[in-house]
């Protein structure tokens, strides 16, 4: 049996009414909000999918279905802590994770450090094991037109010693 597993995740939310977005557990002022059942944190949703994928436990929708009223306006940091607990129960821990936010706005750079700190705290791992960065699509596609925001994530699970 291998001592490592790799998972990837991807999430998208359309912009809607609001005055902020939540990314990586950080509330960021923005001229729009996102349409979502929970807080719509694409960073943490993609990260959850990466962890669940590495565990072969399905996707975030299976664990936190939008049809379930318990998850209405839920804090996605609770989702990450739950996914981390699932990993630890099975003898795994996140070794590192890497997230890329895809959007034209809001600007992610000024908030990346706070996101890294929140994610590291929720996963109980070192700050230098968490990467958060951003890219644009050069004004192409739905993110380029400012219709929504996306994130992709990768994580490495290692056997817990």
């Amino acid at each position: 049996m291998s001592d490592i597993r790799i998972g990837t995740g991807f999430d998208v939310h359309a912009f809607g009414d609001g005055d902020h977005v939540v990314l990586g557990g950080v509330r960021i002022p923005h001229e729009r909000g996102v349409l979502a059942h929970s807080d719509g944190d694409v960073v943490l949703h993609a990260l959850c999918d990466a962890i669940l994928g590495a565990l072969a436990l399905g996707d975030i929708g299976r664990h936190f279905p939008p049809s379930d009223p318990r998850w209405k306006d839920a804090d996605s940091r609770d989702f990450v802590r739950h996914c981390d607990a699932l990993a630890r129960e099975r003898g795994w821990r996140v070794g590192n994770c890497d997230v890329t936010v895809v959007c034209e706005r809001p600007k992610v750079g000024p908030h990346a450090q706070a996101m890294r700190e929140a994610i590291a705290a929720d996963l109980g791992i070192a700050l230098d094991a968490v990467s958060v960065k951003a890219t644009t699509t050069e004004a192409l596609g739905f993110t380029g037109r400012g219709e929504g925001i996306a994130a992709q994530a990768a994580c490495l699970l290692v056997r817990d010693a």
Side-chain angles (χ1 to χ4, degrees):
M1 181 176 264
S2 176
D3 289 330
I4 62 169
R5 289 187 177 185
I6 298 171
T8 63
F10 183 76
D11 194 53
V12 171
H13 284 286
F15 285 129
D17 292 336
D19 62 359
H20 73 280
V21 295
V22 179
L23 297 174
V26 176
R27 183 184 167 110
I28 299 171
H30 188 53
E31 65 267 12
R32 313 271 319 267
V34 295
L35 301 175
H37 186 67
S38 67
D39 62 9
D41 189 330
V42 293
V43 168
L44 297 186
H45 295 180
L47 181 57
C48 284
D49 269 348
I51 295 168
L52 293 168
L55 294 169
L57 292 177
D59 61 27
I60 192 171
R62 179 174 158 196
H63 293 264
F64 307 101
S67 59
D68 188 333
R70 288 183 299 169
W71 311 125
K72 178 70 176 145
D73 299 322
D75 184 339
S76 295
R77 292 184 75 180
D78 292 336
F79 297 173
V80 169
R81 289 187 286 262
H82 175 80
C83 292
D84 182 57
L86 290 174
R88 291 181 187 270
E89 288 167 8
R90 288 160 175 77
W92 298 95
R93 64 180 169 77
V94 174
N96 76 296
C97 59
D98 180 29
V99 181
T100 303
V101 183
V102 183
C103 63
E104 300 293 323
R105 290 189 328 260
K107 295 298 181 193
V108 172
H111 309 282
Q113 183 67 15
M115 289 183 229
R116 292 178 63 221
E117 290 170 0
I119 293 167
D122 288 341
L123 295 175
I125 62 176
L127 183 61
D128 68 359
V130 178
S131 171
V132 174
K133 56 198 184 302
T135 191
T136 70
T137 57
E138 302 296 329
L140 299 172
F142 75 93
T143 60
R145 291 187 300 271
E147 297 169 6
I149 190 166
Q152 64 180 16
C155 80
L156 176 72
L157 297 185
V158 295
R159 280 265 175 227
D160 207 4

